[in-house]
PDB file of all heavy atoms in Angstrom:
ATOM      1  N   TRP A 379      -1.157  -3.923  -0.960  1.00  0.00           N
ATOM      2  CA  TRP A 379      -1.926  -3.541   0.207  1.00  0.00           C
ATOM      3  C   TRP A 379      -1.998  -2.025   0.300  1.00  0.00           C
ATOM      4  O   TRP A 379      -0.984  -1.337   0.146  1.00  0.00           O
ATOM      5  CB  TRP A 379      -1.303  -4.091   1.497  1.00  0.00           C
ATOM      6  CG  TRP A 379      -1.386  -5.578   1.621  1.00  0.00           C
ATOM      7  CD1 TRP A 379      -0.477  -6.502   1.188  1.00  0.00           C
ATOM      8  CD2 TRP A 379      -2.448  -6.324   2.231  1.00  0.00           C
ATOM      9  NE1 TRP A 379      -0.895  -7.769   1.485  1.00  0.00           N
ATOM     10  CE2 TRP A 379      -2.108  -7.689   2.122  1.00  0.00           C
ATOM     11  CE3 TRP A 379      -3.641  -5.973   2.851  1.00  0.00           C
ATOM     12  CZ2 TRP A 379      -2.919  -8.704   2.620  1.00  0.00           C
ATOM     13  CZ3 TRP A 379      -4.455  -6.980   3.346  1.00  0.00           C
ATOM     14  CH2 TRP A 379      -4.096  -8.321   3.233  1.00  0.00           C
ATOM     15  N   TYR A 380      -3.195  -1.519   0.520  1.00  0.00           N
ATOM     16  CA  TYR A 380      -3.443  -0.121   0.813  1.00  0.00           C
ATOM     17  C   TYR A 380      -3.996  -0.014   2.229  1.00  0.00           C
ATOM     18  O   TYR A 380      -4.491  -0.986   2.797  1.00  0.00           O
ATOM     19  CB  TYR A 380      -4.448   0.484  -0.163  1.00  0.00           C
ATOM     20  CG  TYR A 380      -3.917   0.763  -1.552  1.00  0.00           C
ATOM     21  CD1 TYR A 380      -3.702  -0.264  -2.460  1.00  0.00           C
ATOM     22  CD2 TYR A 380      -3.647   2.067  -1.967  1.00  0.00           C
ATOM     23  CE1 TYR A 380      -3.226  -0.012  -3.736  1.00  0.00           C
ATOM     24  CE2 TYR A 380      -3.177   2.325  -3.244  1.00  0.00           C
ATOM     25  CZ  TYR A 380      -2.970   1.283  -4.119  1.00  0.00           C
ATOM     26  OH  TYR A 380      -2.502   1.553  -5.386  1.00  0.00           O
ATOM     27  N   ARG A 381      -3.933   1.184   2.790  1.00  0.00           N
ATOM     28  CA  ARG A 381      -4.563   1.425   4.078  1.00  0.00           C
ATOM     29  C   ARG A 381      -5.203   2.801   4.086  1.00  0.00           C
ATOM     30  O   ARG A 381      -4.784   3.703   3.358  1.00  0.00           O
ATOM     31  CB  ARG A 381      -3.565   1.292   5.235  1.00  0.00           C
ATOM     32  CG  ARG A 381      -2.472   2.349   5.276  1.00  0.00           C
ATOM     33  CD  ARG A 381      -1.473   2.031   6.381  1.00  0.00           C
ATOM     34  NE  ARG A 381      -0.418   3.033   6.481  1.00  0.00           N
ATOM     35  CZ  ARG A 381       0.636   2.925   7.280  1.00  0.00           C
ATOM     36  NH1 ARG A 381       0.786   1.846   8.051  1.00  0.00           N
ATOM     37  NH2 ARG A 381       1.545   3.897   7.309  1.00  0.00           N
ATOM     38  N   GLN A 382      -6.219   2.948   4.928  1.00  0.00           N
ATOM     39  CA  GLN A 382      -6.928   4.208   5.035  1.00  0.00           C
ATOM     40  C   GLN A 382      -7.366   4.421   6.479  1.00  0.00           C
ATOM     41  O   GLN A 382      -8.099   3.611   7.036  1.00  0.00           O
ATOM     42  CB  GLN A 382      -8.144   4.238   4.115  1.00  0.00           C
ATOM     43  CG  GLN A 382      -8.846   5.581   4.071  1.00  0.00           C
ATOM     44  CD  GLN A 382      -9.865   5.666   2.953  1.00  0.00           C
ATOM     45  OE1 GLN A 382     -10.299   4.651   2.407  1.00  0.00           O
ATOM     46  NE2 GLN A 382     -10.240   6.880   2.598  1.00  0.00           N
ATOM     47  N   ALA A 383      -6.897   5.510   7.064  1.00  0.00           N
ATOM     48  CA  ALA A 383      -7.325   5.925   8.384  1.00  0.00           C
ATOM     49  C   ALA A 383      -8.545   6.834   8.254  1.00  0.00           C
ATOM     50  O   ALA A 383      -8.780   7.415   7.187  1.00  0.00           O
ATOM     51  CB  ALA A 383      -6.197   6.651   9.114  1.00  0.00           C
ATOM     52  N   PRO A 384      -9.351   6.968   9.330  1.00  0.00           N
ATOM     53  CA  PRO A 384     -10.529   7.832   9.251  1.00  0.00           C
ATOM     54  C   PRO A 384     -10.168   9.242   8.813  1.00  0.00           C
ATOM     55  O   PRO A 384      -9.206   9.841   9.296  1.00  0.00           O
ATOM     56  CB  PRO A 384     -11.072   7.815  10.685  1.00  0.00           C
ATOM     57  CG  PRO A 384     -10.614   6.505  11.236  1.00  0.00           C
ATOM     58  CD  PRO A 384      -9.258   6.279  10.625  1.00  0.00           C
ATOM     59  N   GLU A 385     -10.922   9.767   7.882  1.00  0.00           N
ATOM     60  CA  GLU A 385     -10.759  11.121   7.348  1.00  0.00           C
ATOM     61  C   GLU A 385      -9.447  11.299   6.589  1.00  0.00           C
ATOM     62  O   GLU A 385      -9.039  12.436   6.298  1.00  0.00           O
ATOM     63  CB  GLU A 385     -10.868  12.166   8.464  1.00  0.00           C
ATOM     64  CG  GLU A 385     -12.122  12.043   9.313  1.00  0.00           C
ATOM     65  CD  GLU A 385     -13.393  12.216   8.504  1.00  0.00           C
ATOM     66  OE1 GLU A 385     -13.382  13.020   7.539  1.00  0.00           O
ATOM     67  OE2 GLU A 385     -14.396  11.563   8.818  1.00  0.00           O
ATOM     68  N   LYS A 386      -8.790  10.201   6.249  1.00  0.00           N
ATOM     69  CA  LYS A 386      -7.549  10.257   5.493  1.00  0.00           C
ATOM     70  C   LYS A 386      -7.719   9.573   4.143  1.00  0.00           C
ATOM     71  O   LYS A 386      -8.623   8.768   3.940  1.00  0.00           O
ATOM     72  CB  LYS A 386      -6.412   9.595   6.264  1.00  0.00           C
ATOM     73  CG  LYS A 386      -6.136  10.190   7.635  1.00  0.00           C
ATOM     74  CD  LYS A 386      -5.605  11.603   7.539  1.00  0.00           C
ATOM     75  CE  LYS A 386      -5.252  12.138   8.914  1.00  0.00           C
ATOM     76  NZ  LYS A 386      -4.727  13.523   8.857  1.00  0.00           N
ATOM     77  N   GLY A 387      -6.827   9.896   3.216  1.00  0.00           N
ATOM     78  CA  GLY A 387      -6.844   9.256   1.927  1.00  0.00           C
ATOM     79  C   GLY A 387      -6.271   7.849   1.977  1.00  0.00           C
ATOM     80  O   GLY A 387      -5.608   7.459   2.936  1.00  0.00           O
ATOM     81  N   ARG A 388      -6.536   7.094   0.933  1.00  0.00           N
ATOM     82  CA  ARG A 388      -6.020   5.734   0.857  1.00  0.00           C
ATOM     83  C   ARG A 388      -4.552   5.760   0.435  1.00  0.00           C
ATOM     84  O   ARG A 388      -4.193   6.386  -0.569  1.00  0.00           O
ATOM     85  CB  ARG A 388      -6.856   4.912  -0.118  1.00  0.00           C
ATOM     86  CG  ARG A 388      -6.512   3.431  -0.128  1.00  0.00           C
ATOM     87  CD  ARG A 388      -7.559   2.613  -0.881  1.00  0.00           C
ATOM     88  NE  ARG A 388      -8.849   2.637  -0.196  1.00  0.00           N
ATOM     89  CZ  ARG A 388      -9.901   1.913  -0.566  1.00  0.00           C
ATOM     90  NH1 ARG A 388      -9.814   1.107  -1.617  1.00  0.00           N
ATOM     91  NH2 ARG A 388     -11.037   2.004   0.103  1.00  0.00           N
ATOM     92  N   GLU A 389      -3.710   5.062   1.182  1.00  0.00           N
ATOM     93  CA  GLU A 389      -2.266   5.077   1.005  1.00  0.00           C
ATOM     94  C   GLU A 389      -1.769   3.709   0.564  1.00  0.00           C
ATOM     95  O   GLU A 389      -2.112   2.695   1.166  1.00  0.00           O
ATOM     96  CB  GLU A 389      -1.579   5.484   2.316  1.00  0.00           C
ATOM     97  CG  GLU A 389      -0.062   5.363   2.298  1.00  0.00           C
ATOM     98  CD  GLU A 389       0.562   5.476   3.675  1.00  0.00           C
ATOM     99  OE1 GLU A 389      -0.169   5.344   4.680  1.00  0.00           O
ATOM    100  OE2 GLU A 389       1.794   5.700   3.756  1.00  0.00           O
ATOM    101  N   LEU A 390      -0.939   3.682  -0.465  1.00  0.00           N
ATOM    102  CA  LEU A 390      -0.288   2.442  -0.878  1.00  0.00           C
ATOM    103  C   LEU A 390       0.777   2.073   0.144  1.00  0.00           C
ATOM    104  O   LEU A 390       1.673   2.868   0.433  1.00  0.00           O
ATOM    105  CB  LEU A 390       0.331   2.590  -2.265  1.00  0.00           C
ATOM    106  CG  LEU A 390       1.133   1.388  -2.780  1.00  0.00           C
ATOM    107  CD1 LEU A 390       0.229   0.167  -2.947  1.00  0.00           C
ATOM    108  CD2 LEU A 390       1.829   1.713  -4.092  1.00  0.00           C
ATOM    109  N   VAL A 391       0.697   0.856   0.674  1.00  0.00           N
ATOM    110  CA  VAL A 391       1.609   0.386   1.704  1.00  0.00           C
ATOM    111  C   VAL A 391       2.712  -0.482   1.117  1.00  0.00           C
ATOM    112  O   VAL A 391       3.897  -0.285   1.408  1.00  0.00           O
ATOM    113  CB  VAL A 391       0.853  -0.389   2.799  1.00  0.00           C
ATOM    114  CG1 VAL A 391       1.828  -0.956   3.834  1.00  0.00           C
ATOM    115  CG2 VAL A 391      -0.176   0.506   3.472  1.00  0.00           C
ATOM    116  N   ALA A 392       2.338  -1.464   0.305  1.00  0.00           N
ATOM    117  CA  ALA A 392       3.302  -2.405  -0.253  1.00  0.00           C
ATOM    118  C   ALA A 392       2.719  -3.045  -1.494  1.00  0.00           C
ATOM    119  O   ALA A 392       1.498  -3.151  -1.641  1.00  0.00           O
ATOM    120  CB  ALA A 392       3.676  -3.484   0.768  1.00  0.00           C
ATOM    121  N   GLU A 393       3.592  -3.481  -2.386  1.00  0.00           N
ATOM    122  CA  GLU A 393       3.151  -4.190  -3.575  1.00  0.00           C
ATOM    123  C   GLU A 393       4.193  -5.223  -3.971  1.00  0.00           C
ATOM    124  O   GLU A 393       5.375  -5.081  -3.661  1.00  0.00           O
ATOM    125  CB  GLU A 393       2.877  -3.233  -4.736  1.00  0.00           C
ATOM    126  CG  GLU A 393       4.102  -2.483  -5.239  1.00  0.00           C
ATOM    127  CD  GLU A 393       3.791  -1.563  -6.408  1.00  0.00           C
ATOM    128  OE1 GLU A 393       2.603  -1.326  -6.681  1.00  0.00           O
ATOM    129  OE2 GLU A 393       4.748  -1.072  -7.052  1.00  0.00           O
ATOM    130  N   ILE A 394       3.738  -6.254  -4.671  1.00  0.00           N
ATOM    131  CA  ILE A 394       4.615  -7.297  -5.180  1.00  0.00           C
ATOM    132  C   ILE A 394       4.187  -7.605  -6.601  1.00  0.00           C
ATOM    133  O   ILE A 394       3.004  -7.786  -6.885  1.00  0.00           O
ATOM    134  CB  ILE A 394       4.588  -8.556  -4.280  1.00  0.00           C
ATOM    135  CG1 ILE A 394       5.560  -9.613  -4.801  1.00  0.00           C
ATOM    136  CG2 ILE A 394       3.180  -9.116  -4.148  1.00  0.00           C
ATOM    137  CD1 ILE A 394       5.782 -10.760  -3.818  1.00  0.00           C
ATOM    138  N   THR A 395       5.143  -7.656  -7.520  1.00  0.00           N
ATOM    139  CA  THR A 395       4.842  -7.891  -8.922  1.00  0.00           C
ATOM    140  C   THR A 395       4.742  -9.379  -9.205  1.00  0.00           C
ATOM    141  O   THR A 395       5.056 -10.225  -8.366  1.00  0.00           O
ATOM    142  CB  THR A 395       5.912  -7.274  -9.826  1.00  0.00           C
ATOM    143  OG1 THR A 395       7.140  -7.999  -9.670  1.00  0.00           O
ATOM    144  CG2 THR A 395       6.154  -5.815  -9.470  1.00  0.00           C
ATOM    145  N   SER A 396       4.305  -9.699 -10.421  1.00  0.00           N
ATOM    146  CA  SER A 396       4.214 -11.097 -10.826  1.00  0.00           C
ATOM    147  C   SER A 396       5.574 -11.778 -10.824  1.00  0.00           C
ATOM    148  O   SER A 396       5.653 -12.997 -10.669  1.00  0.00           O
ATOM    149  CB  SER A 396       3.573 -11.208 -12.210  1.00  0.00           C
ATOM    150  OG  SER A 396       4.343 -10.510 -13.184  1.00  0.00           O
ATOM    151  N   GLY A 397       6.642 -11.003 -11.001  1.00  0.00           N
ATOM    152  CA  GLY A 397       7.984 -11.547 -10.966  1.00  0.00           C
ATOM    153  C   GLY A 397       8.570 -11.670  -9.575  1.00  0.00           C
ATOM    154  O   GLY A 397       9.670 -12.214  -9.422  1.00  0.00           O
ATOM    155  N   GLY A 398       7.867 -11.162  -8.565  1.00  0.00           N
ATOM    156  CA  GLY A 398       8.312 -11.303  -7.197  1.00  0.00           C
ATOM    157  C   GLY A 398       9.038 -10.104  -6.615  1.00  0.00           C
ATOM    158  O   GLY A 398       9.422 -10.138  -5.446  1.00  0.00           O
ATOM    159  N   SER A 399       9.225  -9.054  -7.394  1.00  0.00           N
ATOM    160  CA  SER A 399       9.870  -7.869  -6.851  1.00  0.00           C
ATOM    161  C   SER A 399       8.901  -7.106  -5.957  1.00  0.00           C
ATOM    162  O   SER A 399       7.688  -7.120  -6.178  1.00  0.00           O
ATOM    163  CB  SER A 399      10.389  -6.970  -7.971  1.00  0.00           C
ATOM    164  OG  SER A 399       9.323  -6.513  -8.789  1.00  0.00           O
ATOM    165  N   THR A 400       9.429  -6.446  -4.944  1.00  0.00           N
ATOM    166  CA  THR A 400       8.604  -5.766  -3.955  1.00  0.00           C
ATOM    167  C   THR A 400       9.036  -4.322  -3.785  1.00  0.00           C
ATOM    168  O   THR A 400      10.173  -3.944  -4.080  1.00  0.00           O
ATOM    169  CB  THR A 400       8.683  -6.473  -2.593  1.00  0.00           C
ATOM    170  OG1 THR A 400      10.042  -6.479  -2.131  1.00  0.00           O
ATOM    171  CG2 THR A 400       8.193  -7.911  -2.700  1.00  0.00           C
ATOM    172  N   ARG A 401       8.105  -3.512  -3.287  1.00  0.00           N
ATOM    173  CA  ARG A 401       8.399  -2.151  -2.908  1.00  0.00           C
ATOM    174  C   ARG A 401       7.462  -1.752  -1.776  1.00  0.00           C
ATOM    175  O   ARG A 401       6.373  -2.312  -1.635  1.00  0.00           O
ATOM    176  CB  ARG A 401       8.285  -1.183  -4.084  1.00  0.00           C
ATOM    177  CG  ARG A 401       6.895  -1.077  -4.682  1.00  0.00           C
ATOM    178  CD  ARG A 401       6.919  -0.217  -5.944  1.00  0.00           C
ATOM    179  NE  ARG A 401       7.332   1.150  -5.667  1.00  0.00           N
ATOM    180  CZ  ARG A 401       6.505   2.152  -5.372  1.00  0.00           C
ATOM    181  NH1 ARG A 401       5.199   1.938  -5.299  1.00  0.00           N
ATOM    182  NH2 ARG A 401       6.986   3.367  -5.153  1.00  0.00           N
ATOM    183  N   TYR A 402       7.901  -0.766  -0.983  1.00  0.00           N
ATOM    184  CA  TYR A 402       7.172  -0.364   0.204  1.00  0.00           C
ATOM    185  C   TYR A 402       7.133   1.149   0.324  1.00  0.00           C
ATOM    186  O   TYR A 402       8.016   1.850  -0.183  1.00  0.00           O
ATOM    187  CB  TYR A 402       7.817  -0.942   1.461  1.00  0.00           C
ATOM    188  CG  TYR A 402       7.929  -2.447   1.455  1.00  0.00           C
ATOM    189  CD1 TYR A 402       9.040  -3.083   0.910  1.00  0.00           C
ATOM    190  CD2 TYR A 402       6.915  -3.236   1.987  1.00  0.00           C
ATOM    191  CE1 TYR A 402       9.140  -4.468   0.897  1.00  0.00           C
ATOM    192  CE2 TYR A 402       7.009  -4.619   1.975  1.00  0.00           C
ATOM    193  CZ  TYR A 402       8.120  -5.226   1.432  1.00  0.00           C
ATOM    194  OH  TYR A 402       8.215  -6.600   1.417  1.00  0.00           O
ATOM    195  N   SER A 403       6.130   1.647   1.001  1.00  0.00           N
ATOM    196  CA  SER A 403       6.112   3.055   1.330  1.00  0.00           C
ATOM    197  C   SER A 403       7.213   3.343   2.344  1.00  0.00           C
ATOM    198  O   SER A 403       7.630   2.465   3.108  1.00  0.00           O
ATOM    199  CB  SER A 403       4.752   3.468   1.893  1.00  0.00           C
ATOM    200  OG  SER A 403       4.533   2.898   3.166  1.00  0.00           O
TER     201      SER A 403
END
C-alpha cells in the first residue's frame, strides 16, 4: 500500500511478501 496527500509525493506505507513477511513505514 502506498499513499499520497495533495502536493506530496507517493509514500510506501506497508508491504507483504509472498512468504508472508511484513514491513511498515
Side-chain angles (χ1 to χ4, degrees):
W379 292 90
Y380 285 75
R381 67 186 181 186
Q382 186 168 18
E385 307 299 326
K386 302 293 184 180
R388 188 168 294 186
E389 173 193 16
L390 176 64
V391 176
E393 64 179 12
I394 182 169
T395 69
S396 60
S399 62
T400 60
R401 63 187 298 269
Y402 303 88
S403 69

